[in-house]
Amino acid sequence: QVQLVESGGGVVQAGGSLRLSCAASGGTVSGSARGWFRQAPGKRGEFVARIRKSTGITYYTDSVKGRFTISRDNAKNTVSLQMNSLKPEDTAVYYCAATTNPWPTTREADFGSWGQGTQVTVSS
């Protein structure tokens, strides 16, 4: 069974940068796309970004466009999220996920594989 594990979280000042990575063990992650979600304390989970495994086409939620970049290395079976110009509102636990849905879905329910999450804290 494939296991997803996030890393790279930490504490950073507003305006700073962090790079999150998601590694998979136990085999190659199957499906159409990989993505990142986040959940702040007391808030609902929120879609952040996704990338198609085959084409590399990306999609971002409006609040992170121009600041975050998702990428993947299929040979290494990893996906990353480069986060620049971080804001306090970006503070959350970030989760890596994978979906078999062929459509550009942003729904949590459509992502069947999840990591345990990594904490990102942006101080003001």
Side-chain angles (χ1 to χ4, degrees), residues 37-55:
F37 290 77
R38 65 187 181 186
Q39 185 168 28
K43 303 295 183 180
R44 295 171 58 86
E46 176 187 25
F47 166 81
V48 177
R50 63 173 283 149
I51 184 168
R52 293 187 182 277
K53 290 191 62 180
S54 59
T55 66

Side-chain angles (χ1 to χ4, degrees), residues 87-99:
K87 306 175 181 180
E89 66 187 56
D90 295 318
T91 295
V93 177
Y94 283 71
Y95 297 90
C96 175
T99 180

Side-chain angles (χ1 to χ4, degrees), residues 24-75:
S25 62
T28 301
V29 177
S30 61
S32 299
R34 303 280 292 277
W36 289 91
F37 290 77
R38 65 187 181 186
Q39 185 168 28
K43 303 295 183 180
R44 295 171 58 86
E46 176 187 25
F47 166 81
V48 177
R50 63 173 283 149
I51 184 168
R52 293 187 182 277
K53 290 191 62 180
S54 59
T55 66
I57 295 175
T58 60
Y59 181 75
Y60 302 89
T61 191
D62 288 343
S63 65
V64 308
K65 288 181 179 178
R67 300 189 298 120
F68 291 10
T69 302
I70 188 172
S71 61
R72 89 277 195 257
D73 186 334
N74 289 342

Side-chain angles (χ1 to χ4, degrees), residues 5 9 31 40-41 52 58 78 82 89 92 118 122:
V5 181
R52 293 187 182 277
T58 60
T78 61
Q82 178 66 45
E89 66 187 56
T118 185
V122 184

